[in-house]
Amino acid sequence: MGLTIVLLFAAAAVAFGLITGVRIVPQAKVMVVERLGKFHHVASSGLNILIPFMDSPRAMEMRSGTRIVRNTLVDLREQVMGFETVQVITHDNVNMEVGSVIYYQIVDPGRALYQVENLALAIEQLTMTNLRNVMGGLTLDQTLTSRETVNTKLRMVLDEATEKWGVKVTRVELREIEPPQAIKAAMAKQMTAERERRAEVTKAEGDKSAAILQAEGEKISRILRAEAERDAEVARAEGHKRAVMLEAEGKAEATRLTFEAIHTGRATPEVLALRYLETLQELGKGENKMFVPYEATAAMGTLSMLKDVFGREGTASPAPEAPRLPARNPSAAALSAQAIARNAAATATAPMPATRRVQPPPSDE
């Protein structure tokens, strides 16, 4: 009976040892194993055998949401830790509330357990203090417009501080920035004024572009109109030139035909003189008078003949002969002058009527 009890206790101890000594670690997680209270090794994912009563896993405090959880498994994946809004003061003395989010990853579980007492609390407090320092060196406008700069500075500071803890800070983001209500109202007014200014500038630029386009259109229209008028004037001048040329050609052709008809018909000087006098009569009609100069040689001969005729006082003498011209076809002007000279000579040789002498009246003496 006593031996049976001993065997039962031995079997229970072996079963307990097997149960407590065999550990299965999930993927992407590890377990820190201590032997007799001292760090021994890090159990990786898979099946691991621990020596009962000698080896024991070390628990780590991890943050899950707002709670702190103790767990013997260390998660090697990238983790996110969000913080509540904290009060910060900017460089221009503006109070605001800033909320942040940090992404980190445990790269050395041994140092994460033995270099810091509470890793989650240490990361939280380190993030808040460095956030106040970074935001304190920036103005309000810089904090609102330079979030990427704030994120980069904060990540570099946290990564440098957590390196000895075996933690790698991969990313830091400012979740929200809440300025005071008065600052919000002023920012809203500024935004409205800025948008109105942009609208006015856009409208002015549109009016300017429209005026420029309209001026360019008027300029092009005037240029085209001037070119059209120039082309029209050139076309009219070409037409007038063509008409004048055709008229001149017609007159030349008519003159040529008339000249040929006269020479072909062998017109006598009397016929030409008669046509000349008829033409003078036609020209003398109407209000406008046209004076046609005679041929110079015929006019000089006529004047000389008239002088000789009227220069003699009733002496009958034969009429001086007109100067002989070179033998050629007399012109109409020459024939007319010769006819006038002959008429004047006939008048001068006609007998004068008898006149009686009138006695003067007697004087009173």
Side-chain angles (χ1 to χ4, degrees):
M1 187 68 180
L3 181 59
T4 303
I5 293 173
V6 171
L7 292 175
L8 288 175
F9 274 109
V14 171
F16 178 77
L18 291 175
I19 293 173
T20 57
V22 177
R23 294 295 179 91
I24 298 176
V25 180
Q27 180 70 29
K29 292 185 179 182
V30 296
M31 184 172 57
V32 178
V33 179
E34 293 180 346
R35 179 168 289 181
L36 299 177
K38 185 180 179 181
F39 174 76
H40 184 261
H41 70 279
V42 177
S44 60
S45 58
L47 180 62
N48 294 273
I49 303 299
L50 303 180
I51 300 175
F53 306 107
M54 295 182 64
D55 295 340
S56 61
R58 175 68 181 267
M60 176 182 285
E61 294 181 353
M62 302 294 294
R63 182 171 179 174
S64 177
T66 57
R67 297 181 298 107
I68 303 297
V69 180
R70 292 179 60 86
N71 195 349
T72 57
L73 298 176
V74 180
D75 198 341
L76 299 181
R77 295 174 297 178
E78 187 174 359
Q79 302 180 44
V80 58
M81 183 183 297
F83 306 104
E84 298 295 333
T85 57
V86 295
Q87 291 286 339
V88 298
I89 301 176
T90 61
H91 185 71
D92 49 357
N93 297 324
V94 177
N95 293 325
M96 61 174 57
E97 295 181 355
V98 180
S100 60
V101 179
I102 181 174
Y103 297 85
Y104 68 95
Q105 184 179 7
I106 298 176
V107 295
D108 191 344
R111 287 190 295 175
L113 279 170
Y114 298 107
Q115 294 294 331
V116 63
E117 180 183 1
N118 191 329
L119 180 63
L121 182 61
I123 292 176
E124 180 180 0
Q125 295 300 321
L126 183 65
T127 302
M128 290 184 179
T129 54
N130 284 278
L131 180 61
R132 289 190 179 97
N133 292 335
V134 172
M135 298 295 286
L138 302 175
T139 62
L140 176 62
D141 294 336
Q142 291 175 343
T143 57
L144 296 176
T145 59
S146 304
R147 288 196 176 192
E148 189 64 28
T149 303
V150 176
N151 296 338
T152 303
K153 289 183 179 180
L154 191 58
R155 184 189 62 79
M156 294 176 61
V157 172
L158 293 177
D159 189 29
E160 183 179 358
T162 58
E163 183 180 3
K164 63 180 180 179
W165 298 343
V167 176
K168 174 68 176 178
V169 178
T170 58
R171 191 175 183 85
V172 178
E173 295 288 344
L174 297 180
R175 186 178 64 234
E176 56 184 350
I177 299 177
E178 292 291 336
Q181 193 64 30
I183 299 297
K184 287 184 178 180
M187 291 171 60
K189 293 180 180 179
Q190 181 181 2
M191 180 185 65
T192 303
E194 180 66 19
R195 292 187 179 276
E196 291 178 354
R197 183 187 67 83
R198 290 181 182 178
E200 292 294 333
V201 170
T202 304
K203 183 178 180 300
E205 291 179 352
D207 295 341
K208 175 184 176 182
S209 301
I212 292 174
L213 292 176
Q214 184 177 2
E216 290 180 352
E218 292 179 357
K219 175 183 176 182
I220 295 174
S221 176
R222 291 180 179 178
I223 292 174
L224 294 177
R225 191 179 300 112
E227 291 179 353
E229 292 178 355
R230 181 196 63 189
D231 294 341
E233 290 293 335
V234 170
R236 282 195 293 268
E238 290 289 340
H240 181 68
K241 174 184 176 182
R242 185 62 179 170
V244 170
M245 291 177 62
L246 292 176
E247 184 179 359
E249 291 177 358
K251 289 182 178 180
E253 184 67 19
T255 303
R256 185 181 64 80
L257 293 176
T258 303
F259 181 78
E260 290 180 356
I262 291 173
H263 282 274
T264 303
R266 299 184 181 275
T268 61
E270 289 77 6
V271 175
L272 294 177
L274 180 61
R275 292 294 300 168
Y276 180 76
L277 294 175
E278 292 177 356
T279 303
L280 289 179
Q281 292 179 358
E282 293 294 332
L283 293 176
K285 295 179 180 180
E287 298 179 357
N288 297 328
K289 308 296 183 182
M290 179 180 294
F291 297 92
V292 180
Y294 292 132
E295 186 176 357
T297 57
M300 292 296 291
T302 303
L303 292 175
S304 177
M305 184 184 297
L306 293 176
K307 180 179 180 182
D308 293 339
V309 171
F310 290 102
R312 300 173 181 178
E313 295 180 358
T315 60
S317 63
E321 296 181 358
R324 296 182 180 276
L325 298 177
R328 60 184 178 86
N329 294 329
S331 63
L335 294 175
S336 178
Q338 291 176 6
I340 294 173
R342 286 196 298 269
N343 294 332
T347 305
T349 56
M352 298 297 293
T355 58
R356 65 178 179 176
R357 188 172 183 180
V358 180
Q359 294 294 331
S363 61
D364 293 338
E365 297 178 357

